[in-house]
Amino acid sequence: KNEVEQSPQNLTAQEGEFITINCSYSVGISALHWLQQHPGGGIVSLFMLSSGKKKHGRLIATINIQEKHSSLHITASHPRDSAVYICAVRSTVSWGKLQFGAGTQVVVTP
Amino acid sequence: GAVVSQHPSWVICKSGTSVKIECRSLDFQATTMFWYRQFPKQSLMLMATSNEGSKATYEQGVEKDKFLINHASLTLSTLTVTSAHPEDSSFYICSARARAGNQPQHFGDGTRLSIL
């Protein structure tokens, strides 16, 4: 069983819709990353969280340490948001290595 | 802008060739660099972790003589795929993290390696 679970696996939205991606993990962590991978393969680190909430433009990330759960929200989605979104945690017992969720494929249609 | 630069972005070469991939941190000192491999539609798989000035730590099942990692400076790590074969064809991504505290991990754009 993967220690980092993401849902949904796939998501299609119409332009302008609000999107939420969820991530649950079962290990103690020092930080959680939300990553974005475009079709070309490059990965961008969107957020690193250890508590609370962060906002950058139309993206919002929240984390609840007690519930071991994080969400990534995309407001007013746009076709350029189409990508794979990956949740990754830095556990307290893995020598600083990241453990990755399986990713959520997001497609935003015009 | 990119804080980790990976080069080349695409390599096509014949079986038996050795291929070197470079990973540079552009505006910070990367005391730790990670090398990942990714198969289509799958998540990143950690191959090895390297700390500047010391030998890389390889994950179970990764051949250290096949995938040579050098992290000779705080801004550069290289991965050399020695005597590459078609089964080594994959997408390789590096990532770097600075020394102090709970720092974010930054990723390169990846290298798509195709061995004929």
Side-chain angles (χ1 to χ4, degrees), chain A residues 30 33 37 48 90 96-97, chain B residues 38 59 97 102-103 105:
Chain A
S30 57
H33 282 262
Q37 186 170 32
M48 187 180 83
R90 187 181 300 161
K97 299 178 214 177
Chain B
Q38 187 179 34
E59 295 299 300
R97 196 173 75 214
N102 203 10
Q103 295 293 321
Q105 198 167 316

Side-chain angles (χ1 to χ4, degrees), chain A:
Chain A
K1 186 181 185 294
N2 196 352
E3 290 170 325
V4 183
E5 297 280 353
Q6 269 184 254
S7 63
Q9 273 190 310
N10 297 282
L11 187 158
T12 300
Q14 279 206 313
E15 184 172 357
E17 288 185 341
F18 183 84
I19 290 171
T20 295
I21 304 167
N22 295 299
C23 176
S24 296
Y25 52 91
S26 56
V27 294
I29 69 168
S30 57
L32 181 145
H33 282 262
W34 280 103
L35 308 172
Q36 180 191 55
Q37 186 170 32
H38 277 280
I43 292 177
V44 174
S45 180
L46 299 174
F47 296 103
M48 187 180 83
L49 294 163
S50 53
S51 65
K53 177 178 172 177
K54 286 190 176 180
K55 184 175 189 293
H56 185 205
R58 295 179 294 104
L59 301 177
I60 302 167
T62 63
I63 188 167
N64 185 316
I65 296 293
Q66 287 73 31
E67 294 186 3
K68 291 190 162 80
H69 181 269
S70 176
S71 293
L72 176 69
H73 306 286
I74 306 174
T75 61
S77 59
H78 190 276
R80 64 175 174 267
D81 297 325
S82 299
V84 175
Y85 293 83
I86 303 167
C87 171
V89 302
R90 187 181 300 161
S91 84
T92 52
V93 296
S94 67
W95 305 94
K97 299 178 214 177
L98 291 179
Q99 293 173 253
F100 297 90
T104 297
Q105 173 76 62
V106 171
V107 175
V108 182
T109 58

Side-chain angles (χ1 to χ4, degrees), chain B residues 60-76:
Chain B
Q60 195 170 15
V62 178
E63 299 175 58
K64 60 179 69 176
D65 294 330
K66 175 73 167 176
F67 299 100
L68 300 178
I69 290 171
N70 184 285
H71 189 170
S73 79
L74 284 170
T75 58
L76 174 64

Side-chain angles (χ1 to χ4, degrees), chain B residues 10-24:
Chain B
W10 195 290
V11 180
I12 301 174
C13 58
K14 292 181 179 179
S15 186
T17 307
S18 291
V19 178
K20 182 186 279 189
I21 302 169
E22 290 189 350
C23 181
R24 295 181 184 271

Side-chain angles (χ1 to χ4, degrees), chain B residues 13-89:
Chain B
C13 58
K14 292 181 179 179
S15 186
T17 307
S18 291
V19 178
K20 182 186 279 189
I21 302 169
E22 290 189 350
C23 181
R24 295 181 184 271
S25 59
L26 297 181
D27 57 3
F28 67 99
Q29 293 185 328
T31 51
T32 306
M33 286 190 171
F34 305 87
W35 286 95
Y36 299 91
R37 185 172 180 175
Q38 187 179 34
F39 292 102
K41 305 287 187 186
Q42 293 190 24
S43 191
L44 284 79
M45 181 185 77
L46 181 64
M47 299 173 66
T49 303
S50 74
N51 291 296
E52 184 264 339
S54 61
K55 288 184 181 178
T57 303
Y58 290 79
E59 295 299 300
Q60 195 170 15
V62 178
E63 299 175 58
K64 60 179 69 176
D65 294 330
K66 175 73 167 176
F67 299 100
L68 300 178
I69 290 171
N70 184 285
H71 189 170
S73 79
L74 284 170
T75 58
L76 174 64
S77 176
T78 60
L79 167 68
T80 301
V81 184
T82 61
S83 187
H85 288 94
E87 59 266 28
D88 300 322
S89 298

Side-chain angles (χ1 to χ4, degrees), chain B residues 88-102:
Chain B
D88 300 322
S89 298
S90 191
F91 189 64
Y92 294 87
I93 307 177
C94 73
S95 179
R97 196 173 75 214
R99 182 199 308 271
N102 203 10

